[in-house]
Amino acid sequence: MNNIEKILSHAIDLCEDGNFEKAVKLYDRILRMDPNNVNALIDKGVALQNLDKLKPALLCFENALKIDQKNITALVNKGSVLHGLGEFQKAILAYDEAIALDKKCTMALAYKGLSLGEMGSVEDALKYFKKALRIDKDYDVALINKQIAQNLLRQSKS
């Protein structure tokens, strides 16, 4: 294991323990040594997202995508941050890119459902939750939100 891999591993451990601030410092250290380290960019973005620093997180995911345009993890996380910023249409575009690369990306399917739901398209949201569940019947985000969407539709019909 080289030095960067050791630091990356330590940063991941810090994130798992909830020490996101310390992890971000380690990701910055890695990125000074290797500015094109896509994993460090993505993981730093996730840590920043956990610290509710959404705009800097978005920048990390966009920088990762400049290096690797087809990185599904970066695309899904970019969508997640855009969703958090209330930019649901842009989030959906990021999820659509991820889905185009991997039609079975349950996270992108379920998260697209969340953004559609936020925009008031409950029936469309429900379709995406169901698509995610056809791939992974136990995917909790899709399971919980499918139920919520079904209840909302029932209420609107009664």
Side-chain angles (χ1 to χ4, degrees):
M1 189 183 286
N2 69 31
N3 197 28
I4 288 178
E5 289 169 347
K6 284 179 189 169
I7 299 168
L8 192 57
S9 176
H10 184 54
I12 291 167
D13 289 342
L14 287 169
C15 283
E16 287 172 358
D17 293 339
N19 294 325
F20 301 111
E21 293 278 356
K22 285 182 182 175
V24 168
K25 287 182 176 129
L26 290 182
Y27 292 126
D28 285 339
R29 195 167 137 202
I30 293 166
L31 292 166
R32 280 193 299 276
M33 292 185 270
D34 179 8
N36 293 326
N37 189 310
V38 173
N39 290 329
L41 281 166
I42 292 171
D43 290 351
K44 178 183 175 185
V46 171
L48 289 166
Q49 195 173 0
N50 278 295
L51 291 166
D52 207 30
K53 295 179 179 182
L54 299 183
K55 291 200 172 166
L58 181 60
L59 193 61
C60 288
F61 301 131
E62 288 174 340
N63 287 336
L65 288 164
K66 285 178 189 167
I67 299 162
D68 179 5
Q69 301 95 331
K70 295 183 179 188
N71 189 300
I72 292 172
T73 304
L75 285 166
V76 172
N77 282 299
K78 176 183 176 182
S80 174
V81 168
L82 289 166
H83 180 102
L85 291 167
E87 297 187 36
F88 306 118
Q89 202 61 54
K90 287 181 182 177
I92 289 169
L93 292 174
Y95 300 139
D96 283 343
E97 280 186 66
I99 294 164
L101 294 169
D102 178 4
K103 296 194 183 342
K104 293 186 176 190
C105 182
T106 53
M107 191 177 276
L109 291 165
Y111 282 21
K112 180 176 178 176
L114 291 174
S115 289
L116 286 165
E118 290 286 350
M119 293 171 59
S121 303
V122 180
E123 286 186 30
D124 288 334
L126 187 57
K127 287 178 197 166
Y128 279 90
F129 298 139
K130 287 179 177 178
K131 282 183 183 185
L133 289 167
R134 278 196 292 275
I135 297 160
D136 179 357
K137 65 180 175 42
D138 298 319
Y139 189 55
D140 56 347
V141 173
L143 273 172
I144 294 163
N145 289 289
K146 174 186 165 219
Q147 195 62 51
I148 292 168
Q150 287 173 326
N151 291 340
L152 285 171
L153 287 173
R154 264 189 236 109
Q155 288 170 3
S156 71
K157 288 177 183 168
S158 57

